[in-house]
Structure formats: structure tokens, C-alpha cells
């Protein structure tokens, strides 16, 4: 039903729980400036390692500038990483060239936040879904037509809409087209980059439910990139929290929301508005703003805003490693073993 | 007690290529002294046009106010004021902040000079006095180094800091009413929390009334005293915040609350509302929510629903809502 229970989902599928995607020490630095002097770098992704089991949903959460979108794009090689390794089903994808990479691309897809911006305004939405089938030589002619109609029905769209142009559809319908297009070549893995952020709440829930249903029906693996922690709780099995290009905490969804270990996760969760006037929680306010990723602070990148009472010298000098604090729970904080508590007010 | 602001039968329409768009259609509400009224709804429901109409910020044409429309502030109908008299109220008595601070700030002027301009537009301060006041205002809204940042240009600031500048500018003439149109929607969640805390603190310190426009029920639950839910250019349900969230009587409000993901209630199945939000050139007949409503009866598609006063003393405009004393 909901994406909360990893074990049930993995055992329920045909394949054994195994790693589909493994990212090791991934780095992406963008050069900036340098026109009149020595250049500088934005450290968008700064040494990220993660793995994702087949059939699971890993949510990558963080605020703007945390590097989550860049990481997602590096993983499907829409952007070339500066260094690191990405292996997909055991294959080192950064080493692949030409036809090999193209063959692998069929197995991974991406869905973007802005459904209007990712569809060609002069192409009917039916053609948009049909195009990948022809590019990858999966189907053509009548066969392709039949497949497109089937895909439309699968994502909850009437096949009569195939002849429409993007501007004739609502935001929710366009995002369904984006999903149908991604599904057309039967990928195993989909990067969903803020797929519901641009949608109205009544429509957002429809699309979240659709993604959950499709995952079950097709045994899909998702990397779900989002800033909305309430949305993520409804779809993810596992969460990785990013701050300034690094993962600061990763855990299964239930323990992470119930008892976050990293002070950034504690503050982030406490800042999420709750749609219930009686359940207003005590916030753990964060002072200041996210520092620039051109000049991240020394030591722990979060120490300039950290509300943890145990913060000390060490935090501003020594970079905390992402380490396993409890089985399956990793945090990059010197004091992760004595976490802050999430206060709950009246 | 009389309301500070009374909006009566407000209708705002636009001439478009696809016909007349009745963006706001016969909307009435009061804003009381010192309260925060939340106006909530999805895209295209008319909440922003309502806000802009209050300050007559809708260009005429293509916009047009209905003949019955009245915006009463301290007994005066703002829709009948001369441009000069309106300027005395706009900014000075009723101020407004928007979702995108960057598009409201002038990119080629320092933030300080923009605040000084706002102060001097309504007062008689000298440039030096106004500059001192601008620094005070920037301190008040939590700009870390106001004396230095007064000389910054908007692009040198983060979105959160820009919004603080907008708030400083809005407060420069000590308005009685602040209209905030999605002021935190473009911000990250930790910065959103800071700005909401700031707004609520300033509201109390300045004794302002706030009309807060948002699509986010979570934000509203934390700050509003009363809530008005808009759909299809009309207010469909209105009342005290607890009544609306705990005993919603309109099927649209009920649907919205079921569709919002709760961070505290992961086990609740999300339920979307089927279909999409309608557009202002083609509102459905009868109750505008009827094509998406699971509780509709025959008359919903033909007759405009009446005001039903519910058990929790709030108003729902719906044929199937249960009136007080009949449950």
C-alpha cells in the first residue's frame, strides 16, 4: 500500500534483495569565474556514496543548493561527474562509451519537475511518448501506436488525449505524460526529480499514488529527489539527507522520521509545517542560511548553523565521517550517538 | 466590533481571448482588528486576484470590478477613491508582500535606497532620517549587518534575505493591514520557518491584521485565526481555524485535507481529488466543485449552493453540508 515497509516490498517481489545502484565517492565540481584570474569551484556534489536495492525507493532530500539534483543527473550521466564511481547492476557506467551506454540508457530514465518544460510544445503528447520507442527501436507503426495507448491507460490518461498538444493538458496530465514517456522503454530504474512539486495538492496526491502503483506493478527502482519531507514520507523506503553536497544522514524512513540522529535532520523535520492547528510542534530553529558551496565552512559543513548543545572546537576543524551509528543508520556528526531530540509542543 | 476591512460582493473579471474570465466571483469576507485570516486554495482559484483587488492593483482593462463590488476600509469604499486618495492608503495603511521578492525589488537600486524611497513617499522625513529609519527596519526584520547590507543590491542577497527586505519596506509606514501573498512559497523550509516566525512576531508588535494567501494548509494551520477556502473564484467554506481543519463541512475542504501529506501521519493513505482545477473562462454550472465531488446530488450541477451554518458555527456553501442542529 504505502512505501513505508522495505522488507515487505522486497520479499513481495520476484527478485532477491540486491543492489541495483551503487555510487562511490562521487564528486562534481563546477568551475566558476576565472575570466580575469584564478578560477574557483562550486562543490555541488562533494564525495557522495550510496546504494539502492532493486525495487526500493531512495529519497534524496535537502534544501536548494544541497546538490541533490546534480547528484541525480550525474547518476544517469546527464552530467559527467568530476570523479567517483557509479555502478548499475554491476556495470561501471562512467566507463561506458557509445552503443554500450546507449543500451544501458534504456534501463534508466528521468522524470523532471516541470512537465511543461520537458515536453516539446509543437509535438503531440502521443508522439512524445512514442518517440523513445522509435529511437530505441522497440516498436514502430501500429505496434507503437498500440503501446502508446496502453501506456496512456496505465498512467490514468484517456488514449484520446494522444492527439493533444502539451498546452491543452493540465499540469497533472502533463506530468502523467512525462511518466508514460519514461516508462515507454521499460526501464528498471527511474530518477524522479521533484516530480510533484509543481502540482496542486489535490493533483499531487493522485500522482504520488500513481507512482507507488507503477512501482509495484513493474518492480521499479526509484531515486526520488525532493525538498518536501512530508511527501517523501509517503513514498520512500530509505532517505538520504544532503547538506552542501554531502550526505549527512541516511536511514530507513521510519527510524529517520521518528528519531533523527543528525542535528540538521532534526531541524529540517521540525520546520515542516503540519496541517493540523492542534499539532503544532516545537521548532528547532536554524540560525542563518546555507553557506556558499564555493567556500564551504571548514570541519563539519553544518557547524555554522548547528543547534546541537554539544557543538565544540572539533566541529569547526574536523570533518565528521558518514559512519554507521546503529545498524542501517548512518550519520556524519561527531555527536550522532547523543542526538538532539525533536521537541513536541502543545 | 466592526471589521477593519470589509470585502462585499467582490467580482473581478478579465477580458481574454477565450472569453470573460470571472476570476473572483461575488466574494465577501471581513478582516478583524489584529487577526490573521488565511485565504487558501489551489492555482486559479482567485486568491491572488482577491488580494490584488483589495489594493486595486488590477489593471483596468483588461480587468474589471463588478458594479456591486465594495472594499470598505474604515468606512470608505476603496473602489470609489480617486487615484490620489488611494495612494494615501496603499502602502501606508495597507501594505503587501509577494511570493517573488526578486521581481518586486528594483535590481539596479540598493535595498537601502528602495526602503528610503518607500518611507519618503508617505512621510516628511529627510533623506538622513529616512536612512536611519531604514537601518532600524532592517534590524527589526533580522538582517544580520543592517548598516552594511543597506548598500547591497537585491541580487547580492539570498531569497530569504530579500523577503526580509520586502517585509521591512512593507512595514516602513506602520500599516494596519499586511497582505501577504504566498510570501514563503519560494523559500526553503528552514528559511520559511524563520520568515513565518518573523511575520507573526511583527504582527503582534505592530498590532497589524494579516491577510495571508497560500496554497499550503500546513503553513496556514500554524498561523491563521480564521480560514477562507476558495475554489472556482468563490469562497466555499469559511470559519475559525480549528473548525475548518477538524470539522470541514465542504467536500472540497475535506478532499484537500485528505490529499495533503502529513509528516506525522505516514500511515494515512493519500487521496487525491479526481480531475483538475477548472479555469475561470469555463466555470462549471451550479456548484463549481460538482464535477469533482464524490457527494454530489442532482441539484449541485444546476443550482448555486446556499450558505449553510454548521455545528461548529462556520459557513459552508454546499447543498450536502449538514446545518447546525440537524446532524
Amino acid at each position: 500500500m504505502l512505501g513505508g515497509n522495505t522488507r515487505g516490498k522486497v520479499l513481495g517481489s520476484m527478485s532477491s534483495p540486491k543492489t541495483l545502484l551503487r555510487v562511490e565517492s562521487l564528486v562534481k565540481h563546477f568551475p566558476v569565474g576565472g575570466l580575469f584570474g584564478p578560477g574557483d569551484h562550486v562543490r555541488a556534489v562533494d564525495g557522495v556514496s550510496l546504494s539502492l536495492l532493486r525495487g526500493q525507493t531512495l529519497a534524496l532530500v535537502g534544501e536548494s543548493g544541497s546538490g541533490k539534483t546534480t547528484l541525480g543527473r550525474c547518476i544517469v550521466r546527464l552530467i559527467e561527474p568530476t570523479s567517483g564511481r557509479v555502478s548499475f547492476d554491476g556495470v561501471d557506467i562512467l566507463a561506458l562509451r557509445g552503443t554500450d551506454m546507449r543500451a544501458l540508457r534504456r534501463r534508466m530514465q528521468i522524470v523532471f519537475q516541470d512537465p511543461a518544460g520537458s515536453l516539446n510544445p509543437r509535438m503531440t503528447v502521443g508522439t512524445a511518448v512514442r518517440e523513445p520507442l522509435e529511437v530505441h527501436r522497440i516498436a514502430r507503426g501500429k505496434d507503437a501506436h498500440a503501446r502508446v495507448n496502453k501506456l496512456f491507460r496505465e498512467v490514468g490518461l484517456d488514449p484520446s488525449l494522444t492527439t493533444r498538444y502539451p498546452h491543452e493538458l493540465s499540469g497533472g496530465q502533463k506530468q502523467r505524460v512525462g511518466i508514460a514517456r519514461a516508462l515507454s522503454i521499460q526501464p528498471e530504474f527511474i530518477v524522479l526529480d521533484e516530480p510533484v512539486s509543481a502540482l496542486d495538492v489535490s493533483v499531487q496526491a493522485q500522482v504520488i499514488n500513481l507512482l507507488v502503483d507503477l512501482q509495484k506493478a513493474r518492480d521499479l527502482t526509484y531515486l526520488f529527489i525532493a525538498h518536501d519531507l512530508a511527501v517523501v514520507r509517503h513514498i520512500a523506503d530509505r532517505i538520504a539527507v544532503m547538506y552542501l553536497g554531502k550526505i549527512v544522514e541516511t536511514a530507513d524512513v521510519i527510524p529517520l522520521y521518528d528519531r533523527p540522529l543528525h542535528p540538521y535532520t532534526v531541524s529540517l523535520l521540525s520546520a515542516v509545517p503540519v496541517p493540523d492547528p492542534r499539532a503544532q510542534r516545537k521548532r528547532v530553529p536554524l540560525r542563518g542560511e546555507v553557506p556558499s558551496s564555493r567556500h564551504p565552512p571548514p570541519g563539519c559543513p553544518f557547524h555554522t548553523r548547528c543547534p546541537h548543545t554539544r557543538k565544540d572546537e572539533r566541529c569547526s576543524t574536523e570533518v565528521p565521517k558518514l559512519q554507521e551509528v546503529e545498524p542501517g543508520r548512518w550519520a556524519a556528526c561527531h555527536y550522532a550517538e547523543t542526538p538532539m531530540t525533536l521537541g513536541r509542543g502543545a | 466590533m466592526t471589521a477593519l476591512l470589509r470585502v462585499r460582493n467582490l467580482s473581478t473579471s478579465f477580458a481574454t481571448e477565450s472569453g470573460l474570465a470571472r476570476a473572483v466571483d461575488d466574494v465577501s469576507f471581513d478582516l478583524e482588528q489584529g487577526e490573521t485570516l488565511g485565504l487558501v486554495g489551489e492555482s486559479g482559484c482567485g486568491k491572488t486576484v482577491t488580494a490584488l483587488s483589495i489594493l486595486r492593483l488590477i489593471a483596468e482593462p483588461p480587468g474589471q470590478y463588478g458594479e456591486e463590488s465594495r472594499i470598505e476600509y474604515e468606512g470608505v469604499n476603496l473602489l470609489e477613491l480617486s487615484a490620489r486618495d488611494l495612494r494615501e492608503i496603499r502602502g501606508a495603511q495597507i501594505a503587501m508582500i509577494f511570493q517573488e521578492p526578486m521581481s518586486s525589488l528594483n535590481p539596479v537600486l540598493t535595498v537601502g535606497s528602495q526602503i528610503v524611497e518607500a518611507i519618503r513617499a508617505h512621510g516628511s522625513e529627510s533623506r538622513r532620517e529616512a536612512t536611519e529609519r531604514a537601518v532600524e527596519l532592517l534590524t527589526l526584520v533580522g538582517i544580520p549587518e543592517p548598516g552594511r547590507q543597506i548598500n547591497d543590491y537585491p541580487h547580492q542577497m539570498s531569497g530569504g534575505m530579500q523577503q526580509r527586505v520586502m517585509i521591512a519596506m512593507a512595514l516602513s509606514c506602520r500599516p494596519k493591514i499586511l497582505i501577504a501573498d504566498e510570501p514563503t512559497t519560494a523559500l526553503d523550509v528552514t528559511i520559511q520557518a524563520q520568515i513565518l516566525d518573523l511575520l507573526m512576531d511583527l504582527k503582534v508588535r505592530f498590532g497589524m491584521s494579516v491577510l495571508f494567501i497560500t496554497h499550503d494548509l500546513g503553513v496556514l494551520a500554524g498561523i491563521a485565526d480564521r480560514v477562507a477556502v476558495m475554489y472556482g473564484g468563490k469562497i466555499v467554506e469559511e470559519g475559525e481555524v480549528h473548525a475548518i481543519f477538524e470539522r470541514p463541512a465542504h467536500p472540497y475542504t475535506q478532499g484537500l485535507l485528505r490529499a495533503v501529506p502529513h509528516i506525522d501521519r505516514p500511515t494515512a493513505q493519500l487521496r487525491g481529488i479526481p480531475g483538475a482545477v477548472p479555469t475561470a473562462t469555463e466555470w462549471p454550472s451550479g456548484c463549481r466543485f460538482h464535477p469533482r465531488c464524490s457527494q454530489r446530488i442532482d441539484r449541485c450541477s444546476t443550482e448555486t449552493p446556499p450558505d449553510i451554518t454548521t455545528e461548529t458555527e462556520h459557513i459552508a456553501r454546499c447543498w450536502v453540508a449538514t446545518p447546525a442542529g440537524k446532524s
Side-chain angles (χ1 to χ4, degrees), chain A residues 63-77:
Chain A
E63 300 180 277
S64 41
S66 62
K68 56 191 192 297
T69 291
T70 306
L71 177 58
R73 288 180 191 191
C74 285
I75 286 171
V76 293
R77 269 183 88 185

Side-chain angles (χ1 to χ4, degrees), chain A residues 13 30 59 76 137 143 155 209 221 237 240 255 269 274 281 323:
Chain A
S13 71
F30 292 102
V76 293
R137 302 202 182 116
D143 183 22
V155 298
N209 291 339
T221 307
D237 299 301
L269 287 174
V274 181
R281 298 170 308 168
Q323 50 193 342

